[in-house]
């Protein structure tokens, strides 16, 4: 998927696979934006969009967690509001994923919240968070233990993303 090219997510995947901060315990991906103030007004029309934020940007969170953790979920449950139908798409959605290793994941999406794009994995010894992790812009990964920041790694996902497209 396209955000696998982001340096911040690749760094997370490598760090988690090496078990540098212990085994993963839980994970979370958040992708929100205020769709009513964007040029993409078609996202509200079920006929044109096919679904709401879960369909539009939630898939990026699911794919990111699957890729970073290296496994596919064995169960998924979701709650959407309003309940989508043939004419109306949801505006907000939350999903809970369970992975074979026992790691849980949550996906949060909304068309009614300010722009936010974060991927987080809580490990036994630290929390690893890619701030602006799913997107083509500058972001960073921050690793914390309790209130202490133990690592901070900046990334220019725009440059990395464009370089991948050029190749």
């Amino acid at each position: 998927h396209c955000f696998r090219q982001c340096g911040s997510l690749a760094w997370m995947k490598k760090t988690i696979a090496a078990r540098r901060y212990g085994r993963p315990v839980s994970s979370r991906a958040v992708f929100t934006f205020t769709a009513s103030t964007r040029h993409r007004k078609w996202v509200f029309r079920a006929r044109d969009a096919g679904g709401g934020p879960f369909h539009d940007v939630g898939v990026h969170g699911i794919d990111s967690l699957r890729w970073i953790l290296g496994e596919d979920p064995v169960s998924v449950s979701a709650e959407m509001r309003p309940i989508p139908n043939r004419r109306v798409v949801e505006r907000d959605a939350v999903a809970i994923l369970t992975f074979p290793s026992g790691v849980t994941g949550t996906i949060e999406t909304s068309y009614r919240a300010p722009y936010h794009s974060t991927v987080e994995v809580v490990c036994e010894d630290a929390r690893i968070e890619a701030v602006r992790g799913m997107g083509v812009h500058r972001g960073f990964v921050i690793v914390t233990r309790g209130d202490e920041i133990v690592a901070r790694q900046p990334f220019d996902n725009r440059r990395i993303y464009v370089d991948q497209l050029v190749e």
Side-chain angles (χ1 to χ4, degrees), residues 89-102:
V89 299
E90 81 276 7
R91 300 300 199 262
D92 307 285
V94 177
I96 299 171
L97 293 72
T98 304
F99 292 90
S101 63

Side-chain angles (χ1 to χ4, degrees), residues 24-78:
V25 175
S26 65
S27 58
R28 181 174 75 112
V30 178
F31 205 138
T32 64
F33 64 95
T34 310
S36 62
T37 62
R38 307 273 178 172
H39 63 280
R40 300 173 67 207
K41 301 290 187 206
W42 57 267
V43 300
F44 294 108
R45 295 189 303 265
R47 183 186 76 223
D48 298 327
F54 196 76
H55 175 81
D56 185 20
V57 294
V59 296
H60 298 300
I62 293 169
D63 183 70
S64 295
L65 294 183
R66 288 177 56 234
W67 185 66
I68 289 167
L69 297 171
E71 57 184 353
D72 290 328
V74 293
S75 70
V76 177
S77 62

